Amino acid sequence: MNCSLVAEVVQQEEDSFQVSHTVTIAQDLQIVFSKFESIQSWWNPSHSFGGDVSKYRFDLEKQALVETLEGGFVRHMDIVYWNPQSRVVLRGGLGPLLTEVVTGILIFDFTETEGVTSVSMKYTVSGKVEQQTLGEWAPAVDFVLTEQLQRLANELADQS
């Protein structure tokens, strides 16, 4: 596989946390972003509400990451910035954080050097949760997001 991944919990407090991930992929930026945009091809279905990621999509008209469910939908995150050449910024609580009183900002930065693309992902969440401190969520969120970015890299490695 022509990629490497680095992940860490950067900050973990009672009312906030931040996780950071970077994957380097031996593909040019256009190919990487095209695969990124096809989130249903790499997102793990076990981290969806309906269990079918073919129903996941970045809906640029609705400016959201949306999952269609039988008879309904989930608006996972709002798209607040979309630039296929460099950055995507999403706002919201992923998974079970969707129903908590939190603000989450998920930033993807894309940079290419000589046909190798780096995808950096940073998720910062602050607010309140019912059952525990928000900081206690950091390891689980880090694990899930590490897995997602690795799945993206694996999909691209399979194409090369």
Side-chain angles (χ1 to χ4, degrees):
M1 179 175 11
N2 294 327
C3 68
S4 63
L5 175 71
V6 177
E8 70 175 317
V9 174
V10 176
Q11 178 254 328
Q12 188 175 1
E13 305 293 330
E14 185 172 308
D15 62 352
S16 64
F17 68 84
Q18 183 180 85
V19 295
S20 176
H21 309 82
T22 302
V23 66
T24 305
I25 305 164
Q27 295 272 7
D28 71 270
L29 187 135
Q30 272 188 310
I31 292 170
V32 171
F33 194 85
S34 179
K35 180 57 72 176
F36 168 81
E37 194 171 20
S38 301
I39 190 168
Q40 66 278 9
S41 70
W42 55 271
W43 195 265
N44 186 338
S46 67
H47 298 293
S48 68
F49 283 86
D52 181 2
V53 290
S54 71
K55 311 282 186 182
Y56 258 59
R57 72 186 181 288
F58 287 112
D59 188 325
L60 299 182
E61 278 188 34
K62 292 181 180 167
Q63 300 174 340
L65 172 58
V66 177
E67 177 183 0
T68 304
L69 302 173
E70 181 132 355
F73 69 94
V74 178
R75 184 182 186 109
H76 290 280
M77 302 187 96
D78 294 324
I79 300 170
V80 295
Y81 186 91
W82 186 270
N83 182 337
Q85 300 304 311
S86 62
R87 176 175 263 197
V88 170
V89 180
L90 306 168
R91 178 178 295 134
L94 284 171
L97 292 174
L98 181 72
T99 59
E100 299 290 346
V101 184
V102 299
T103 300
I105 302 293
L106 179 59
I107 301 170
F108 292 91
D109 284 311
F110 301 84
T111 56
E112 180 187 355
T113 306
E114 299 176 5
V116 175
T117 301
S118 175
V119 181
S120 297
M121 176 175 57
K122 181 172 65 174
Y123 189 39
T124 305
V125 182
S126 63
K128 289 196 164 279
V129 292
E130 282 190 37
Q131 300 298 318
Q132 58 198 64
T133 68
L134 185 55
E136 292 176 282
W137 285 74
V141 171
D142 181 58
F143 177 82
V144 168
L145 290 179
T146 298
E147 176 189 20
Q148 304 309 336
L149 205 55
Q150 187 65 62
R151 288 173 61 92
L152 172 64
N154 291 346
E155 283 286 319
L156 286 156
D158 289 346
Q159 289 182 347
S160 49

PDB file of all heavy atoms in Angstrom, residues 13-35:
ATOM      1  N   GLU A  13     -10.436  17.618  27.140  1.00  0.00           N
ATOM      2  CA  GLU A  13     -10.849  18.335  28.349  1.00  0.00           C
ATOM      3  C   GLU A  13     -12.244  17.867  28.748  1.00  0.00           C
ATOM      4  O   GLU A  13     -12.875  17.088  28.048  1.00  0.00           O
ATOM      5  CB  GLU A  13     -10.867  19.847  28.082  1.00  0.00           C
ATOM      6  CG  GLU A  13      -9.571  20.422  27.567  1.00  0.00           C
ATOM      7  CD  GLU A  13      -8.428  20.385  28.571  1.00  0.00           C
ATOM      8  OE1 GLU A  13      -8.715  20.452  29.796  1.00  0.00           O
ATOM      9  OE2 GLU A  13      -7.274  20.296  28.148  1.00  0.00           O
ATOM     10  N   GLU A  14     -12.732  18.368  29.866  1.00  0.00           N
ATOM     11  CA  GLU A  14     -14.059  17.984  30.330  1.00  0.00           C
ATOM     12  C   GLU A  14     -15.147  18.357  29.325  1.00  0.00           C
ATOM     13  O   GLU A  14     -16.075  17.595  29.093  1.00  0.00           O
ATOM     14  CB  GLU A  14     -14.345  18.659  31.675  1.00  0.00           C
ATOM     15  CG  GLU A  14     -15.651  18.231  32.288  1.00  0.00           C
ATOM     16  CD  GLU A  14     -15.827  18.769  33.700  1.00  0.00           C
ATOM     17  OE1 GLU A  14     -14.923  18.579  34.526  1.00  0.00           O
ATOM     18  OE2 GLU A  14     -16.897  19.356  33.947  1.00  0.00           O
ATOM     19  N   ASP A  15     -15.016  19.539  28.691  1.00  0.00           N
ATOM     20  CA  ASP A  15     -16.066  20.026  27.798  1.00  0.00           C
ATOM     21  C   ASP A  15     -15.637  20.120  26.333  1.00  0.00           C
ATOM     22  O   ASP A  15     -16.306  20.766  25.529  1.00  0.00           O
ATOM     23  CB  ASP A  15     -16.576  21.383  28.275  1.00  0.00           C
ATOM     24  CG  ASP A  15     -15.489  22.448  28.272  1.00  0.00           C
ATOM     25  OD1 ASP A  15     -14.298  22.106  28.046  1.00  0.00           O
ATOM     26  OD2 ASP A  15     -15.822  23.622  28.487  1.00  0.00           O
ATOM     27  N   SER A  16     -14.516  19.468  25.967  1.00  0.00           N
ATOM     28  CA  SER A  16     -14.066  19.542  24.577  1.00  0.00           C
ATOM     29  C   SER A  16     -12.998  18.483  24.293  1.00  0.00           C
ATOM     30  O   SER A  16     -12.418  17.898  25.210  1.00  0.00           O
ATOM     31  CB  SER A  16     -13.490  20.925  24.274  1.00  0.00           C
ATOM     32  OG  SER A  16     -12.329  21.156  25.056  1.00  0.00           O
ATOM     33  N   PHE A  17     -12.786  18.267  23.004  1.00  0.00           N
ATOM     34  CA  PHE A  17     -11.667  17.434  22.571  1.00  0.00           C
ATOM     35  C   PHE A  17     -11.328  17.778  21.129  1.00  0.00           C
ATOM     36  O   PHE A  17     -12.120  18.412  20.421  1.00  0.00           O
ATOM     37  CB  PHE A  17     -11.951  15.936  22.712  1.00  0.00           C
ATOM     38  CG  PHE A  17     -13.003  15.388  21.791  1.00  0.00           C
ATOM     39  CD1 PHE A  17     -12.703  15.005  20.482  1.00  0.00           C
ATOM     40  CD2 PHE A  17     -14.312  15.239  22.225  1.00  0.00           C
ATOM     41  CE1 PHE A  17     -13.676  14.492  19.645  1.00  0.00           C
ATOM     42  CE2 PHE A  17     -15.293  14.723  21.389  1.00  0.00           C
ATOM     43  CZ  PHE A  17     -14.968  14.349  20.090  1.00  0.00           C
ATOM     44  N   GLN A  18     -10.130  17.380  20.728  1.00  0.00           N
ATOM     45  CA  GLN A  18      -9.708  17.532  19.343  1.00  0.00           C
ATOM     46  C   GLN A  18      -8.894  16.309  18.948  1.00  0.00           C
ATOM     47  O   GLN A  18      -8.031  15.862  19.709  1.00  0.00           O
ATOM     48  CB  GLN A  18      -8.859  18.784  19.157  1.00  0.00           C
ATOM     49  CG  GLN A  18      -8.454  19.014  17.709  1.00  0.00           C
ATOM     50  CD  GLN A  18      -7.612  20.252  17.568  1.00  0.00           C
ATOM     51  OE1 GLN A  18      -6.408  20.221  17.744  1.00  0.00           O
ATOM     52  NE2 GLN A  18      -8.276  21.362  17.252  1.00  0.00           N
ATOM     53  N   VAL A  19      -9.222  15.770  17.775  1.00  0.00           N
ATOM     54  CA  VAL A  19      -8.452  14.663  17.218  1.00  0.00           C
ATOM     55  C   VAL A  19      -7.909  15.124  15.870  1.00  0.00           C
ATOM     56  O   VAL A  19      -8.518  15.943  15.186  1.00  0.00           O
ATOM     57  CB  VAL A  19      -9.287  13.369  17.070  1.00  0.00           C
ATOM     58  CG1 VAL A  19      -9.704  12.845  18.438  1.00  0.00           C
ATOM     59  CG2 VAL A  19     -10.503  13.580  16.186  1.00  0.00           C
ATOM     60  N   SER A  20      -6.750  14.597  15.519  1.00  0.00           N
ATOM     61  CA  SER A  20      -6.091  14.997  14.288  1.00  0.00           C
ATOM     62  C   SER A  20      -5.572  13.757  13.577  1.00  0.00           C
ATOM     63  O   SER A  20      -5.041  12.841  14.215  1.00  0.00           O
ATOM     64  CB  SER A  20      -4.933  15.940  14.628  1.00  0.00           C
ATOM     65  OG  SER A  20      -4.210  16.286  13.471  1.00  0.00           O
ATOM     66  N   HIS A  21      -5.727  13.736  12.262  1.00  0.00           N
ATOM     67  CA  HIS A  21      -5.314  12.596  11.446  1.00  0.00           C
ATOM     68  C   HIS A  21      -4.720  13.109  10.150  1.00  0.00           C
ATOM     69  O   HIS A  21      -5.248  14.055   9.569  1.00  0.00           O
ATOM     70  CB  HIS A  21      -6.518  11.711  11.110  1.00  0.00           C
ATOM     71  CG  HIS A  21      -7.319  11.319  12.298  1.00  0.00           C
ATOM     72  ND1 HIS A  21      -8.267  12.141  12.861  1.00  0.00           N
ATOM     73  CD2 HIS A  21      -7.301  10.205  13.039  1.00  0.00           C
ATOM     74  CE1 HIS A  21      -8.795  11.545  13.906  1.00  0.00           C
ATOM     75  NE2 HIS A  21      -8.237  10.362  14.036  1.00  0.00           N
ATOM     76  N   THR A  22      -3.678  12.481   9.688  1.00  0.00           N
ATOM     77  CA  THR A  22      -3.100  12.808   8.392  1.00  0.00           C
ATOM     78  C   THR A  22      -2.744  11.524   7.680  1.00  0.00           C
ATOM     79  O   THR A  22      -2.117  10.640   8.267  1.00  0.00           O
ATOM     80  CB  THR A  22      -1.841  13.691   8.534  1.00  0.00           C
ATOM     81  OG1 THR A  22      -2.193  14.891   9.226  1.00  0.00           O
ATOM     82  CG2 THR A  22      -1.273  14.059   7.169  1.00  0.00           C
ATOM     83  N   VAL A  23      -3.173  11.428   6.444  1.00  0.00           N
ATOM     84  CA  VAL A  23      -2.812  10.283   5.605  1.00  0.00           C
ATOM     85  C   VAL A  23      -2.132  10.836   4.354  1.00  0.00           C
ATOM     86  O   VAL A  23      -2.544  11.861   3.817  1.00  0.00           O
ATOM     87  CB  VAL A  23      -4.026   9.387   5.261  1.00  0.00           C
ATOM     88  CG1 VAL A  23      -5.022  10.093   4.389  1.00  0.00           C
ATOM     89  CG2 VAL A  23      -3.579   8.086   4.638  1.00  0.00           C
ATOM     90  N   THR A  24      -1.067  10.178   3.955  1.00  0.00           N
ATOM     91  CA  THR A  24      -0.350  10.534   2.738  1.00  0.00           C
ATOM     92  C   THR A  24      -0.570   9.416   1.735  1.00  0.00           C
ATOM     93  O   THR A  24      -0.343   8.244   2.047  1.00  0.00           O
ATOM     94  CB  THR A  24       1.149  10.719   3.034  1.00  0.00           C
ATOM     95  OG1 THR A  24       1.287  11.689   4.085  1.00  0.00           O
ATOM     96  CG2 THR A  24       1.899  11.194   1.816  1.00  0.00           C
ATOM     97  N   ILE A  25      -1.024   9.795   0.545  1.00  0.00           N
ATOM     98  CA  ILE A  25      -1.428   8.817  -0.464  1.00  0.00           C
ATOM     99  C   ILE A  25      -0.678   9.099  -1.773  1.00  0.00           C
ATOM    100  O   ILE A  25      -0.658  10.244  -2.239  1.00  0.00           O
ATOM    101  CB  ILE A  25      -2.956   8.893  -0.704  1.00  0.00           C
ATOM    102  CG1 ILE A  25      -3.713   8.725   0.607  1.00  0.00           C
ATOM    103  CG2 ILE A  25      -3.395   7.874  -1.738  1.00  0.00           C
ATOM    104  CD1 ILE A  25      -5.164   9.148   0.557  1.00  0.00           C
ATOM    105  N   ALA A  26      -0.119   8.092  -2.354  1.00  0.00           N
ATOM    106  CA  ALA A  26       0.631   8.226  -3.607  1.00  0.00           C
ATOM    107  C   ALA A  26      -0.331   8.310  -4.798  1.00  0.00           C
ATOM    108  O   ALA A  26      -0.385   7.421  -5.640  1.00  0.00           O
ATOM    109  CB  ALA A  26       1.611   7.069  -3.761  1.00  0.00           C
ATOM    110  N   GLN A  27      -1.113   9.368  -4.810  1.00  0.00           N
ATOM    111  CA  GLN A  27      -2.056   9.667  -5.897  1.00  0.00           C
ATOM    112  C   GLN A  27      -2.140  11.184  -6.007  1.00  0.00           C
ATOM    113  O   GLN A  27      -1.917  11.909  -5.029  1.00  0.00           O
ATOM    114  CB  GLN A  27      -3.458   9.126  -5.593  1.00  0.00           C
ATOM    115  CG  GLN A  27      -3.568   7.643  -5.505  1.00  0.00           C
ATOM    116  CD  GLN A  27      -3.832   6.996  -6.874  1.00  0.00           C
ATOM    117  OE1 GLN A  27      -3.803   7.646  -7.907  1.00  0.00           O
ATOM    118  NE2 GLN A  27      -4.078   5.710  -6.859  1.00  0.00           N
ATOM    119  N   ASP A  28      -2.512  11.674  -7.194  1.00  0.00           N
ATOM    120  CA  ASP A  28      -2.649  13.126  -7.320  1.00  0.00           C
ATOM    121  C   ASP A  28      -3.944  13.598  -6.663  1.00  0.00           C
ATOM    122  O   ASP A  28      -4.872  12.823  -6.444  1.00  0.00           O
ATOM    123  CB  ASP A  28      -2.523  13.585  -8.779  1.00  0.00           C
ATOM    124  CG  ASP A  28      -3.708  13.203  -9.626  1.00  0.00           C
ATOM    125  OD1 ASP A  28      -3.677  12.108 -10.204  1.00  0.00           O
ATOM    126  OD2 ASP A  28      -4.664  14.007  -9.690  1.00  0.00           O
ATOM    127  N   LEU A  29      -4.002  14.875  -6.384  1.00  0.00           N
ATOM    128  CA  LEU A  29      -5.100  15.468  -5.610  1.00  0.00           C
ATOM    129  C   LEU A  29      -6.460  15.263  -6.262  1.00  0.00           C
ATOM    130  O   LEU A  29      -7.433  14.967  -5.569  1.00  0.00           O
ATOM    131  CB  LEU A  29      -4.841  16.967  -5.402  1.00  0.00           C
ATOM    132  CG  LEU A  29      -5.822  17.649  -4.464  1.00  0.00           C
ATOM    133  CD1 LEU A  29      -5.083  18.541  -3.490  1.00  0.00           C
ATOM    134  CD2 LEU A  29      -6.838  18.448  -5.229  1.00  0.00           C
ATOM    135  N   GLN A  30      -6.558  15.381  -7.577  1.00  0.00           N
ATOM    136  CA  GLN A  30      -7.859  15.210  -8.240  1.00  0.00           C
ATOM    137  C   GLN A  30      -8.430  13.817  -8.000  1.00  0.00           C
ATOM    138  O   GLN A  30      -9.623  13.667  -7.754  1.00  0.00           O
ATOM    139  CB  GLN A  30      -7.733  15.449  -9.737  1.00  0.00           C
ATOM    140  CG  GLN A  30      -7.911  16.890 -10.124  1.00  0.00           C
ATOM    141  CD  GLN A  30      -7.969  17.015 -11.634  1.00  0.00           C
ATOM    142  OE1 GLN A  30      -7.121  16.493 -12.341  1.00  0.00           O
ATOM    143  NE2 GLN A  30      -8.975  17.718 -12.110  1.00  0.00           N
ATOM    144  N   ILE A  31      -7.589  12.798  -8.066  1.00  0.00           N
ATOM    145  CA  ILE A  31      -8.038  11.418  -7.841  1.00  0.00           C
ATOM    146  C   ILE A  31      -8.462  11.240  -6.393  1.00  0.00           C
ATOM    147  O   ILE A  31      -9.508  10.653  -6.100  1.00  0.00           O
ATOM    148  CB  ILE A  31      -6.939  10.410  -8.233  1.00  0.00           C
ATOM    149  CG1 ILE A  31      -6.728  10.433  -9.749  1.00  0.00           C
ATOM    150  CG2 ILE A  31      -7.274   9.010  -7.741  1.00  0.00           C
ATOM    151  CD1 ILE A  31      -5.519   9.673 -10.224  1.00  0.00           C
ATOM    152  N   VAL A  32      -7.655  11.776  -5.467  1.00  0.00           N
ATOM    153  CA  VAL A  32      -7.971  11.657  -4.036  1.00  0.00           C
ATOM    154  C   VAL A  32      -9.275  12.372  -3.719  1.00  0.00           C
ATOM    155  O   VAL A  32     -10.149  11.822  -3.046  1.00  0.00           O
ATOM    156  CB  VAL A  32      -6.813  12.187  -3.163  1.00  0.00           C
ATOM    157  CG1 VAL A  32      -7.220  12.263  -1.693  1.00  0.00           C
ATOM    158  CG2 VAL A  32      -5.564  11.313  -3.337  1.00  0.00           C
ATOM    159  N   PHE A  33      -9.444  13.583  -4.228  1.00  0.00           N
ATOM    160  CA  PHE A  33     -10.660  14.325  -3.909  1.00  0.00           C
ATOM    161  C   PHE A  33     -11.888  13.672  -4.525  1.00  0.00           C
ATOM    162  O   PHE A  33     -12.954  13.627  -3.902  1.00  0.00           O
ATOM    163  CB  PHE A  33     -10.579  15.798  -4.326  1.00  0.00           C
ATOM    164  CG  PHE A  33     -11.663  16.606  -3.692  1.00  0.00           C
ATOM    165  CD1 PHE A  33     -11.496  17.124  -2.421  1.00  0.00           C
ATOM    166  CD2 PHE A  33     -12.876  16.798  -4.322  1.00  0.00           C
ATOM    167  CE1 PHE A  33     -12.524  17.832  -1.792  1.00  0.00           C
ATOM    168  CE2 PHE A  33     -13.903  17.510  -3.722  1.00  0.00           C
ATOM    169  CZ  PHE A  33     -13.721  18.021  -2.454  1.00  0.00           C
ATOM    170  N   SER A  34     -11.742  13.147  -5.707  1.00  0.00           N
ATOM    171  CA  SER A  34     -12.866  12.455  -6.343  1.00  0.00           C
ATOM    172  C   SER A  34     -13.322  11.264  -5.498  1.00  0.00           C
ATOM    173  O   SER A  34     -14.526  11.042  -5.302  1.00  0.00           O
ATOM    174  CB  SER A  34     -12.459  11.991  -7.744  1.00  0.00           C
ATOM    175  OG  SER A  34     -13.514  11.300  -8.347  1.00  0.00           O
ATOM    176  N   LYS A  35     -12.375  10.505  -4.974  1.00  0.00           N
ATOM    177  CA  LYS A  35     -12.719   9.371  -4.101  1.00  0.00           C
ATOM    178  C   LYS A  35     -13.312   9.890  -2.787  1.00  0.00           C
ATOM    179  O   LYS A  35     -14.296   9.352  -2.280  1.00  0.00           O
ATOM    180  CB  LYS A  35     -11.493   8.496  -3.848  1.00  0.00           C
ATOM    181  CG  LYS A  35     -11.756   7.300  -2.949  1.00  0.00           C
ATOM    182  CD  LYS A  35     -12.842   6.380  -3.445  1.00  0.00           C
ATOM    183  CE  LYS A  35     -12.427   5.581  -4.643  1.00  0.00           C
ATOM    184  NZ  LYS A  35     -13.480   4.605  -5.045  1.00  0.00           N
TER     185      LYS A  35
END
